Amino acid sequence: MGLTVQTREKTGKSYIRQIRQQGLVPGIIMTKEGIKMVELREDQAYRFLLANQDKTVVFDLEFENTQEKKQVIVQDYQVAPYGRKLLHIDFREVTPDTKIKTSLAIIPSDNCPALKFGGIINIIRRQIPVEACVKDLPEALHIDAANLDFGAPIKVASITAPEGVRLLTKGENFTILTISGRSKGKGAAMEDDEAIEETEE
């Protein structure tokens, strides 16, 4: 996952208007060495922002016609009030030790016994805000649902974050997921099996 950019040497309203007419959007990269001006395809950048809205994603910016790459996050961007047109985008270069805040998707395990009896995992909160260094940031938060019974919830306070990751949910204990459906119970399941055997005889 990434975006391709070109180095931009010029500034000014006239030049910015010109590249926008060509389907490009101006941007900058904030680095330790200073500000680097770039331009990139507006449609690709806009689709990228839509796909990753409400979360901070670490990705590669590749410079066209060179071998240079920078690992960045989107720091800020501007969208036109009408027409859904991206006007400007700011990137910030990061390193493995850069600490960032983002939201991680919730992925429950599929080893819950209740699922074998018709239960359905109902995800209430699909993302959780966290803070971590880039090197410690997982792709998602995997939640163990092995001991979850029908109607019983998993709340955020019961989650153990991976090493190096801090949950930004202090003082909150909202429900993350539950198992919905009606439990037939082990005995009911055995009766169904016996009924099937009788029918087959």
Side-chain angles (χ1 to χ4, degrees):
M1 177 177 60
L3 290 171
T4 301
V5 299
Q6 303 173 37
T7 300
R8 174 169 57 95
E9 302 294 343
K10 298 181 181 180
T11 60
K13 292 183 179 180
S14 177
Y15 180 75
I16 297 302
R17 189 181 305 112
Q18 179 182 340
I19 65 172
R20 284 175 177 160
Q21 290 174 349
Q22 297 171 3
L24 301 175
V25 59
I28 61 170
I29 307 173
M30 292 173 278
T31 72
K32 290 182 179 179
E33 294 76 29
I35 301 296
K36 193 176 185 69
M37 296 188 299
V38 295
E39 57 195 34
L40 63 159
R41 284 182 51 179
E42 189 274 338
D43 57 342
Q44 290 183 349
Y46 188 73
R47 285 199 299 269
F48 181 88
L49 292 173
L50 283 180
N52 296 286
Q53 58 186 339
D54 301 325
K55 59 183 177 179
T56 302
V57 178
V58 179
F59 62 98
D60 287 334
L61 271 187
E62 182 175 351
F63 286 78
E64 196 171 296
N65 301 324
T66 73
Q67 299 297 317
E68 184 181 7
K69 285 185 179 180
K70 288 187 179 295
Q71 196 171 48
V72 302
I73 61 173
V74 174
Q75 183 73 19
D76 197 10
Y77 61 90
Q78 296 176 329
V79 177
Y82 304 102
R84 298 181 180 180
K85 188 100 174 157
L86 183 62
L87 299 178
H88 194 276
I89 185 166
D90 297 345
F91 303 101
R92 176 162 69 97
E93 185 176 14
V94 297
T95 69
D97 293 317
T98 301
K99 187 171 288 188
I100 64 173
K101 294 180 180 180
T102 185
S103 293
L104 293 178
I106 297 297
I107 300 181
S109 62
D110 58 359
N111 59 346
C112 177
L115 298 179
K116 298 178 181 179
F117 297 99
I120 299 174
I121 293 180
N122 183 27
I123 302 178
I124 308 298
R125 187 78 170 249
R126 296 191 174 275
Q127 293 185 342
I128 293 181
V130 301
E131 182 180 53
C133 290
V134 170
K135 64 183 179 183
D136 298 323
L137 195 64
E139 292 185 359
L141 283 177
H142 293 269
I143 307 300
D144 185 8
N147 298 317
L148 193 62
D149 202 355
F150 284 92
I154 290 181
K155 292 182 175 289
V156 70
S158 66
I159 293 179
T160 301
E163 185 176 355
V165 177
R166 183 169 69 94
L167 302 182
L168 300 178
T169 55
K170 186 177 180 180
E172 298 180 82
N173 195 24
F174 50 80
T175 298
I176 295 173
L177 59 87
T178 62
I179 299 293
S180 60
R182 179 179 298 176
S183 174
K184 296 170 64 178
K186 187 175 180 181
M190 292 176 62
E191 290 176 4
D192 286 348
D193 290 341
E194 292 172 357
I196 291 174
E197 290 177 1
E198 292 175 1
T199 303
E200 290 177 347
E201 292 176 356

